[in-house]
Amino acid sequence: MILYEYPFNERIRTYLRLEHLFGHYAELSARDMPVDHHYALYTLFEILEITSRSDLKKEIMLDLDRLRQQLSSWRDNPAVAQGTLDRLMREADVCFRLLEQMQGKIGHGITSNDWLMALRSRIAIPGGTCEFDLPAYHAWQHLPETRRKTDLKHWMAGMHPVSDSIRLLLSLVRNGGHTQRMTAQNGQFQLNLPQARSFQLLQLAVDPVHQVIPEISANRLLVSVRMMRQDPDGHLALHPIDVSFELTLCA
């Protein structure tokens, strides 16, 4: 099954984008080739672009605080596994404390590094990191891979409180969903949402055998899905067949 996720609000949209980028950085920085480490740094600057929002740290901490209050309300509930509850409360406390201890804005350690900032100003320019533009970067790419990996690990270290917090918050959002089997009749599907519930995330899983791409739109009242098929020229058009899929609404 191919899983697609759709956020119901801008906060979850930001979390998903950061999770996506943190995953790319981890994969690229673990490789050995200089070209992989080049794109790891490009990803680092994308992360920095998103985390430069002044209110992001406060927003994550508010979410963690709400999570801690919710978990505390489940204490001594016989329907809740207390061991799991204790573990989640410890994780939430650690994430909150580490964010609270962060000095300055998120990514301050990166923005205060002149070498990285010089690279950031050039990396978005097509071909802007050639050896005649940035000889220091060219020399860094010729260092042993162990040294480059150490540098990449060091530069990401200050982001761990953010990545760990987002991982925890998104995992609990995803675990708060109920999966149902649905069918898009003639390639189209609509679902009215109950106004009494506030959903955070939509997950849609479709079997690749159908060879369709779900085009999703959603708000607090309605979910709409159109199953599209891509032609050899890359154009998308509605594929008017019945397609079954799994839908999860995460509250």
Side-chain angles (χ1 to χ4, degrees):
M1 303 289 277
I2 301 176
L3 179 65
Y4 297 84
E5 293 188 316
Y6 189 91
F8 278 90
N9 55 63
E10 194 59 33
R11 177 174 50 86
I12 296 297
R13 187 185 305 274
T14 299
Y15 290 175
L16 289 172
R17 284 175 172 159
L18 283 171
E19 180 191 52
H20 173 78
L21 292 172
F22 283 130
H24 278 194
Y25 187 88
E27 182 176 343
L28 290 166
S29 60
R31 299 176 183 174
D32 296 334
M33 298 300 293
V35 67
D36 293 316
H37 294 167
H38 170 82
Y39 286 106
L41 286 168
Y42 188 88
T43 303
L44 180 65
F45 297 140
E46 287 188 293
I47 293 170
L48 196 64
E49 192 70 30
I50 297 176
T51 56
S52 62
R53 278 179 40 202
S54 60
D55 60 338
L56 181 62
K57 183 169 75 171
K58 179 181 178 182
E59 200 169 76
I60 297 173
M61 291 177 70
L62 285 172
D63 273 349
L64 288 170
D65 194 47
R66 281 192 288 264
L67 172 61
R68 294 192 300 178
Q69 293 177 28
Q70 184 178 11
L71 293 173
S72 295
S73 70
W74 293 341
R75 177 73 71 189
D76 301 324
N77 186 327
V80 176
Q82 295 301 308
T84 302
L85 182 64
D86 290 340
R87 177 180 58 80
L88 291 173
M89 289 187 68
R90 285 195 300 271
E91 285 189 44
D93 286 338
V94 169
C95 288
F96 186 91
R97 187 171 65 253
L98 290 176
L99 281 173
E100 195 174 35
Q101 293 171 354
M102 288 180 67
Q103 298 296 320
K105 292 183 178 181
I106 297 172
H108 172 73
I110 300 170
T111 56
S112 61
N113 185 312
D114 292 340
W115 187 86
L116 285 174
M117 290 302 94
L119 175 59
R120 183 189 185 189
S121 68
R122 299 290 308 177
I123 204 166
I125 301 172
T129 57
C130 288
E131 64 272 15
F132 53 83
D133 287 311
L134 290 175
Y137 179 54
H138 185 64
W140 181 83
Q141 290 180 304
H142 282 78
L143 293 174
E145 66 269 15
T146 52
R147 167 64 189 278
R148 284 185 270 112
K149 286 182 178 180
T150 299
D151 287 342
L152 291 169
K153 184 177 180 180
H154 172 70
W155 294 327
M156 178 52 69
M159 292 287 190
H160 286 324
V162 178
S163 61
D164 291 345
S165 298
I166 288 175
R167 174 191 53 78
L168 175 62
L169 291 168
L170 285 179
S171 70
L172 290 172
V173 168
R174 290 172 174 131
N175 288 333
H178 175 64
T179 302
Q180 302 178 71
R181 194 77 181 178
M182 299 293 190
T183 300
Q185 296 182 346
N186 294 320
Q188 299 191 75
F189 172 83
Q190 282 194 347
L191 176 67
N192 292 316
L193 299 178
Q195 296 188 32
R197 302 213 46 196
S198 177
F199 295 104
Q200 305 287 319
L201 180 69
L202 178 153
Q203 293 182 317
L204 188 153
V206 61
D207 194 322
V209 73
H210 295 303
Q211 298 183 358
V212 294
I213 302 168
E215 189 178 82
I216 305 168
S217 61
N219 55 45
R220 63 185 183 86
L221 300 175
L222 181 70
V223 170
S224 177
V225 179
R226 301 173 75 230
M227 296 298 181
M228 314 296 283
R229 176 70 68 89
Q230 192 169 24
D231 65 22
D233 294 327
H235 300 122
L236 287 173
L238 180 68
H239 193 50
I241 61 170
D242 291 354
V243 178
S244 61
F245 61 94
E246 293 179 356
L247 179 69
T248 306
L249 295 171
C250 305

